[in-house]
């Protein structure tokens, strides 16, 4: 076990190290430039399409390419399913860890990662819809493994297989056992609920949703994600109202220490500028998953007329996750006086909330962590299932669902040091095949986007309002 720990520790240091972060940012910058900053310029249009896509129905008109027009879930619910997996412990514990290890300046680099990542997430969704297939059960399937297979050709099939293997394994860790363990810890520390009981409750609730497939997952995500996201933001805003006098100083700390080293103070060990960049980028990517290739698996199931439309909706996931939710967490922490005490992770966020809202802060964070982790389990169950299906066929779907659900209580009671390390490693390794595909297929993204905004690739009856 020590040998395995050392091996995965070494691999993890590489895949989450500076080279990978440069690769993730580099591909994102390339795509953002190639799209002429369109994801940032068309942010408002993305929100408009998201709102319009709440109740999208399948087209009744025959189309030349049926897969290009139909899917199982609304564009809105596709985004909510993707957000269910991305808004999670990273928004609570990840932000706190970035600040604890990289200083306030890490928040600035999380923002940069998000603005760059919007182009990455847009491109992933465009390719997912463009190259999706209909499986033997009649459902639409897509994601990196399919745009590698159908976009790059059979000679790249091994790369699609690698992505699917990494994704199927990572889902059991990052998207399952690690999440149930985090909830069990929070419930035990805050309310005294035994780990095993938390595990069983999550297993029953998640199982009732997961065994129903993507339609049920999307339906639950479409209701739960907006509620939990808005509730957490409101709680954060209440803290910021209490700490209103420190907000200006917090922004000052973020911008100043993004480019200047911070000396040790209190329990804070100090941080160089490179630490701010490293932890800001790493935690930003961990939170919004731009470039990892997970979210496009959900967006491939959307009912949409055009890949670009779903791309415009998909990129909102990065904006909402990092620019809105992570920023709320960061400001709550930085307007408190506890972030220099040496605490990190979810406990730092909980202490920051509790300082402004005594007696309520800890329960708010514990409940938010529980709901965030629960929805992450739902979203990642679908990601892992589709990766498993790509490797072993449609007959393997129910087997994967059952195994995934049974793993939840085991995660709640287990010591997850090695499982966390292995899953975190495979999570990062998903990005390598995906980034290769995004770079090679970028001309397809650029052409589809150009055609859409010039009106060449718009189906009859589809309204265009590009604010030209």
């Amino acid at each position: 076990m020590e040998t395995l720990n050392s091996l995965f520790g070494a691999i993890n240091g590489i895949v989450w190290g500076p080279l990978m972060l440069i690769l993730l940012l580099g591909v994102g910058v390339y795509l953002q430039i190639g799209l002429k900053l369109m994801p940032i310029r068309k942010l408002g249009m993305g929100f408009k399409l998201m709102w319009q896509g709440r109740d999208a129905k399948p087209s009744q008109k025959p189309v030349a390419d049926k897969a290009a027009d139909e899917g199982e879930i609304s564009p809105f619910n596709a985004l909510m399913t993707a957000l269910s997996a991305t808004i999670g412990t990273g928004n609570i514990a990840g932000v706190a860890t970035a600040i604890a290890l990289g200083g306030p300046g890490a928040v600035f680099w999380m923002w940069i990662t998000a603005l760059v990542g919007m182009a990455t997430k847009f491109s992933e969704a465009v390719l997912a819809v463009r190259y999706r297939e209909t499986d033997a059960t009649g459902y639409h399937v897509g994601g990196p493994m399919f745009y590698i297979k159908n976009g790059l050709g059979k000679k790249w099939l091994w790369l699609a297989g690698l992505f699917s293997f990494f994704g199927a394994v990572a889902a059991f860790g990052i998207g399952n056992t690690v999440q149930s363990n985090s909830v069990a810890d929070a419930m035990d520390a805050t309310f005294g609920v035994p780990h095993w009981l938390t595990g069983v409750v999550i297993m029953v609730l998640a199982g009732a949703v997961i065994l129903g497939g993507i339609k049920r997952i999307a339906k639950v995500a479409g209701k739960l994600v907006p509620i939990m996201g808005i509730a957490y933001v409101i709680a954060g805003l209440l803290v910021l109202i209490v700490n209103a006098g420190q907000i200006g100083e917090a922004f000052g700390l973020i911008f100043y220490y993004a480019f200047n080293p911070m000396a040790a103070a209190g329990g804070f060990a100090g941080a160089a500028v490179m630490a701010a960049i490293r932890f800001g980028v790493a935690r930003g990517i961990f939170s919004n998953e731009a470039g990892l290739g997970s979210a496009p698996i959900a967006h491939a199931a959307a009912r949409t007329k055009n890949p670009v439309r779903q791309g415009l909706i998909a990129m909102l996931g990065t904006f909402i996750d990092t620019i809105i939710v992570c920023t709320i967490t960061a400001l709550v922490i930085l307007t408190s006086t506890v972030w220099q005490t040496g605490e990190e992770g979810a406990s730092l966020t909980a202490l920051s909330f509790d300082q402004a809202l005594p007696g309520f802060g800890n329960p708010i964070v514990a409940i938010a962590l529980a709901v965030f982790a629960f929805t992450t389990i739902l979203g990642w169950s679908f990601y892992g299932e589709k990766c498993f299906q790509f490797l072993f066929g449609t007959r393997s779907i129910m087997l994967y669902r059952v195994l995934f659900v049974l793993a939840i209580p085991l995660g709640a009671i287990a010591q997850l040091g090695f499982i966390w390390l292995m899953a975190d490693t495979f999570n990062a390794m998903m990005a390598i095949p995906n980034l290769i595909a995004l770079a090679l297929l970028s001309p397809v993204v650029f052409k589809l986007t150009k055609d859409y905004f010039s009106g060449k690739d718009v189906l009859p009856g589809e309204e265009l309002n590009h604010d030209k």
Side-chain angles (χ1 to χ4, degrees):
M1 183 58 73
E2 285 185 15
T3 304
L4 280 174
N5 265 310
S6 299
L7 175 63
F8 274 96
I11 297 172
N12 189 271
I14 295 171
V15 296
W16 277 116
L19 285 177
M20 174 59 79
L21 300 181
I22 290 169
L23 184 60
L24 281 159
L25 275 182
V27 171
V29 169
Y30 164 69
L31 292 170
Q32 191 69 270
I33 293 172
L35 292 166
K36 300 175 183 175
L37 304 182
M38 182 279 297
I40 297 173
R41 292 187 291 108
K42 299 295 183 182
L43 183 62
M45 183 181 179
F47 277 105
K48 181 180 178 183
L49 289 173
M50 178 193 73
W51 188 253
Q52 292 174 344
R54 288 170 299 142
D55 302 305
K57 299 292 189 297
S59 172
Q60 301 303 314
K61 299 178 181 178
V63 291
D65 181 5
K66 190 177 178 65
D69 188 53
E70 295 184 2
E72 283 65 54
I73 59 179
S74 71
F76 176 83
N77 278 354
L79 175 63
M80 292 304 110
T81 303
L83 275 174
S84 72
T86 52
I87 295 183
T89 54
N91 297 82
I92 294 176
V95 175
T97 299
I99 293 172
L101 299 178
V107 179
F108 175 85
W109 296 106
M110 289 184 78
W111 293 339
I112 296 299
T113 302
L115 294 176
V116 168
M118 285 173 64
T120 308
K121 196 71 72 82
F122 168 84
S123 301
E124 288 175 332
V126 168
L127 293 173
V129 174
R130 171 65 181 83
Y131 292 110
R132 66 185 176 180
E133 296 181 0
T134 305
D135 67 15
T137 63
Y139 282 80
H140 290 80
V141 289
M145 55 283 207
F146 287 97
Y147 52 73
I148 291 171
K149 172 190 169 188
N150 298 326
L152 297 180
K154 291 184 178 179
K155 66 179 180 179
W156 292 91
L157 200 57
W158 62 274
L159 196 65
L162 274 181
F163 174 86
S164 298
F165 172 72
F166 295 147
V169 174
F172 272 98
I174 296 296
N176 186 323
T177 52
V178 168
Q179 301 296 329
S180 61
N181 195 265
S182 296
V183 177
D185 280 344
M187 291 295 104
D188 184 26
T190 308
F191 303 110
V193 179
H195 279 62
W196 69 266
L197 181 57
T198 299
V200 170
V201 171
I202 297 174
M203 179 185 71
V204 172
L205 293 176
V209 181
I210 291 169
L211 296 177
I214 182 57
K215 288 187 177 180
R216 194 177 299 171
I217 291 171
K219 187 175 181 180
V220 172
K223 299 289 191 298
L224 200 54
V225 171
I227 292 171
M228 72 169 188
I230 292 170
Y232 182 76
V233 168
I234 290 173
L237 291 175
L238 286 176
V239 172
L240 295 182
I241 289 171
V242 174
N243 298 341
Q246 286 75 48
I247 293 176
E249 182 184 348
F251 276 109
L253 291 172
I254 291 169
F255 286 107
Y256 181 80
Y257 289 113
F259 305 98
N260 296 279
M262 184 170 185
F268 181 71
V273 174
M274 279 309 299
I277 296 173
R278 179 189 171 190
F279 289 109
V281 173
R283 293 300 93 186
I285 290 169
F286 181 79
S287 177
N288 61 50
E289 298 181 12
L292 298 187
S294 49
I297 299 173
H299 288 288
R303 291 193 293 266
T304 182
K305 295 179 179 180
N306 190 287
V308 175
R309 288 175 68 90
Q310 195 59 33
L312 288 163
I313 294 172
M315 71 186 191
L316 299 179
T318 303
F319 183 87
I320 293 168
D321 177 273
T322 306
I323 302 296
I324 297 178
V325 182
C326 285
T327 298
I328 290 289
T329 302
L331 290 176
V332 166
I333 292 170
L334 293 174
T335 56
S336 75
T337 59
V338 297
W339 69 272
Q340 294 185 23
T341 60
E343 286 285 349
E344 58 181 84
S347 60
L348 173 56
T349 306
L351 283 171
S352 301
F353 268 89
D354 209 59
Q355 187 183 63
L357 304 172
F360 295 97
N362 271 317
I364 286 172
V365 173
I367 293 169
L369 191 66
V371 179
F372 284 1
F374 176 74
T375 57
T376 297
I377 290 172
L378 299 185
W380 269 94
S381 73
F382 182 66
Y383 296 162
E385 173 192 310
K386 293 301 113 180
C387 289
F388 200 73
Q389 179 185 346
F390 185 84
L391 294 171
F392 302 108
T394 53
R395 291 184 179 181
S396 68
I397 291 175
M398 191 52 69
L399 171 64
Y400 187 89
R401 290 177 185 172
V402 171
L403 291 175
F404 193 90
V405 171
L406 291 176
I408 293 171
L410 297 178
I413 61 175
Q415 295 295 319
L416 293 182
F418 175 69
I419 293 176
W420 168 263
L421 181 63
M422 182 178 68
D424 192 40
T425 302
F426 281 123
N427 195 215
M429 290 174 75
M430 290 170 63
I432 298 172
N434 184 49
L435 291 172
I436 292 171
L438 285 175
L440 294 176
L441 291 171
S442 58
V444 177
V445 176
F446 299 155
K447 185 180 187 303
L448 287 172
T449 305
K450 182 180 178 182
D451 288 348
Y452 181 76
F453 282 100
S454 65
K456 294 179 182 177
D457 197 21
V458 180
L459 297 175
E462 182 181 3
E463 294 183 3
L464 264 184
N465 181 12
H466 301 318
D467 302 319
K468 290 183 179 179

